[in-house]
Amino acid sequence: VDLGRRNLPADDLTKQAVSTLVDAVVFNSAAESYTTAAVDCSGYRKFLLEMNVDVTLAPTDLNIQVQFSDDNVTFYNHMNGPFGSLMYEDVAGDKLECVSGECLAQYVRLYVLSSGCDATNTFTLTAKLVLTR
């Protein structure tokens, strides 16, 4: 494939990278937040966010926010489509879901906020980011 200045194998055009941003984190206190490390996504244009949400008893909500930054300092909430309010409620039960979007900034991370959790009413979250060229 000719991209102007250099030739790349076709596999490089669809290369993927997978990062586990949240690895079985248990949310077990009220208004608990978790911010992941930022991932450099500058070499990619699409992302898939894979989420495994396990619910124990009756916590209230889990809000997962995708955030982007151009300088790895100031992060902005991604508001397109489902990302404006990616919420999970206890009554919805356990979930294995994914949503996709575009990477248009250099860095991406997740910010997660729980509510209504305690030692017995919990959410457990695993979230993976699949980046694709």
Side-chain angles (χ1 to χ4, degrees), residues 1-8 13:
V1 175
D2 183 16
L3 295 178
R5 291 188 239 168
R6 59 187 178 145
N7 291 322
L8 295 174
L13 295 176

Side-chain angles (χ1 to χ4, degrees), residues 23-88:
D23 192 5
V25 171
V26 177
F27 293 85
N28 58 6
S29 62
E32 185 176 358
S33 67
Y34 183 89
T35 303
T36 70
V39 173
D40 184 340
C41 61
S42 59
Y44 300 90
R45 288 294 165 243
K46 301 253 183 210
F47 73 89
L48 180 71
L49 180 61
E50 301 173 332
M51 295 161 292
N52 181 349
V53 180
D54 291 320
V55 180
T56 302
L57 296 178
T60 306
D61 295 312
L62 189 66
N63 184 339
I64 302 168
Q65 186 65 59
V66 175
Q67 298 179 326
F68 286 101
S69 174
D70 60 344
D71 60 8
N72 203 19
V73 175
T74 304
F75 282 82
Y76 303 88
N77 292 335
H78 187 41
M79 299 303 291
N80 292 354
F83 302 107
S85 182
L86 195 52
M87 298 279 279
Y88 291 89

Side-chain angles (χ1 to χ4, degrees), residues 12 19 25 48 56 60 66 114 124 126 131:
D12 283 353
S19 299
V25 171
L48 180 71
T56 302
T60 306
V66 175
S114 69
T124 302
T126 297
L131 297 170

